[in-house]
Amino acid sequence: MRGVVMHAPGDIRVEARDDPKILYPTDAIIRLSATCICGSDLWPYRGIEPVTEPTPMGHEYVGVVEQLGSEVKHIRVGDFVVGSFFASDNTCAICQAGYQSRCVHAELIGAIGTQAQLARIPLADGTLVATPGMPALDLIPSLLAASDVLGTGWFAAVAAEAGPGKTVAVVGDGAVGLLGVLAAKQLGAARIVIFSRHADRQQLAVEFGATDVIPERGDAGVAKLKELTGGLGAHSTIEAVGTQESMLQAIRSTRPGGHVGYVGVAHDVRLPGDELFFAEVHLHGGPAPVRRFLPELLRLICERRINPGKVFDLELPMEQAAEGYKAMDERRAIKVLLTL
Ligand SMILES: [Zn+2]
């Protein structure tokens, strides 16, 4: 099969990889219908995370099941399936509590690399959710978004306790932040404020339900938000970047008693204890347990009640993945879908 491999920061190649095989009786092999590039793939691309050897890329996936291990009971060959970037058994105590991303048997799909024609998905029964029948082709981008960016934005909104009557602030205008806006809207938020200075992203945020846009960032952005909220700050803040500046902006944007849902993968974030003490906000986040939300998200997508696939603003054949990474790195694209 063909697949995307990162050889070094900035060095993306599409090359022959071995076809995956069933390794454990709980595995499935799927043929990808489409795949995509994640904002988190840019950390190694930019050399912020080391790349020590040629590394297969990708952790988002939708596709059709081709082969199953002997112990898989609920997924069938021919099913169209969506899964999360963590494989999970969906039965252990942590999964049952809704934290499948920290399943006691969790396996990182990023280590498998789903920017490829085929992928082995571990723990198929617990990880994969099948759609009712074969979805229409135009639903595939939205279903692919559910695999990570929608599920992650949704978790951020839930962790931030977005809901009726709440003012929600969103730090980060990448795909996750934008879909955090969509999630907050679906959860009934009264007002949704996104920090964004890019016209195309502002427009999509408004389409997804944002009521206000603040172009300033850092403390200047916080001051603007306070102006909009009678000096109090947001009830709920979604943090979708993962830097020191964005975490502090999120905490400072939140009123006492409010909630921060943080899902940007943290890079060198150090929170000052004294400021945290007096901020008096709830912090809840981490790698999103996307699997918890997949059945509901697939239903909303298949009923055409949400259209998260709009975050894909560039579509390229997988063979041109290098151009896709470049476009996202240069912020010419919000999110790139790779066709197969
Ligand atoms: Zn589990």
Side-chain angles (χ1 to χ4, degrees):
M1 69 168 183
R2 305 280 295 168
V4 177
V5 178
M6 188 180 295
H7 284 254
D11 182 359
I12 294 289
R13 302 181 204 173
V14 182
E15 52 194 42
R17 288 181 53 200
D18 290 339
D19 282 4
K21 292 187 172 56
I22 299 281
L23 298 182
Y24 301 97
T26 47
D27 286 348
I29 304 293
I30 65 166
R31 180 166 296 274
L32 281 282
S33 301
T35 184
C36 57
I37 303 171
C38 184
S40 64
D41 295 332
L42 296 179
W43 294 106
Y45 185 82
R46 291 170 173 162
I48 297 166
E49 285 173 7
V51 184
T52 53
E53 56 185 349
T55 306
M57 296 301 293
H59 54 264
E60 296 152 285
Y61 55 98
V62 292
V64 177
V65 176
E66 282 207 344
Q67 261 190 76
L68 290 170
S70 58
E71 288 176 17
V72 179
K73 291 185 181 69
H74 305 299
I75 297 293
R76 295 192 159 74
V77 169
D79 279 353
F80 186 95
V81 291
V82 184
S84 162
F85 50 89
F86 269 109
S88 54
D89 58 21
N90 211 29
T91 55
C92 75
I94 304 296
C95 283
Q96 290 296 298
Y99 288 84
Q100 289 90 339
S101 43
R102 300 300 313 279
C103 172
V104 298
H105 297 119
E107 284 187 54
L108 206 46
I109 302 289
I112 288 165
T114 58
Q115 288 164 10
Q117 291 173 308
L118 297 164
R120 180 183 69 89
I121 307 299
L123 303 170
D125 273 336
T127 304
L128 298 172
V129 179
T131 54
M134 201 55 66
L137 282 180
D138 68 320
L139 290 178
I140 285 179
S142 286
L143 293 165
L144 183 57
S147 176
D148 180 356
V149 282
L150 173 62
T152 296
W154 200 278
F155 170 59
V158 168
E161 304 220 336
K166 300 277 184 78
T167 294
V168 179
V170 180
V171 179
D173 64 359
V176 171
L178 292 166
L179 292 171
V181 170
L182 180 151
K185 172 81 177 166
Q186 286 292 314
L187 294 167
R191 193 170 192 187
I192 304 169
V193 185
I194 186 163
F195 295 99
S196 173
R197 56 178 61 186
H198 301 90
D200 52 337
R201 294 163 192 244
Q202 292 174 350
Q203 192 189 330
L204 192 51
V206 168
E207 244 179 273
F208 283 153
T211 53
D212 302 84
V213 175
I214 296 178
E216 290 86 354
R217 55 167 81 175
D219 287 342
V222 173
K224 281 276 177 200
L225 179 75
K226 293 262 171 90
E227 268 175 44
L228 289 179
T229 53
L232 300 179
H235 299 95
S236 306
T237 305
I238 291 172
E239 189 287 323
V241 182
T243 63
Q244 178 77 11
E245 187 192 23
S246 65
M247 267 306 272
L248 289 179
Q249 187 178 335
I251 291 165
R252 291 170 184 166
S253 294
T254 309
R255 67 178 64 189
H259 294 75
V260 178
Y262 61 98
V263 294
V265 180
H267 284 78
D268 291 324
V269 175
R270 300 274 180 278
L271 300 180
D274 50 349
E275 183 174 345
L276 207 51
F277 185 79
F278 286 103
E280 210 146 4
V281 298
H282 303 74
L283 299 180
H284 183 198
V290 173
R291 176 65 181 79
R292 188 204 308 178
F293 306 106
L294 279 179
E296 168 76 354
L297 299 179
L298 266 49
R299 187 181 64 76
L300 291 171
I301 291 165
C302 290
E303 290 175 1
R304 298 184 183 271
R305 307 224 336 246
I306 57 175
N307 190 3
K310 281 192 174 173
V311 292
F312 293 106
D313 56 347
L314 179 61
E315 195 174 304
L316 293 170
M318 186 179 70
E319 293 295 324
Q320 293 173 33
E323 167 54 22
Y325 275 77
K326 200 159 180 288
M328 278 181 63
D329 179 44
E330 294 169 0
R331 288 185 149 259
R332 283 184 281 118
I334 299 171
K335 192 165 176 70
V336 178
L337 183 137
L338 300 173
T339 57
L340 294 156

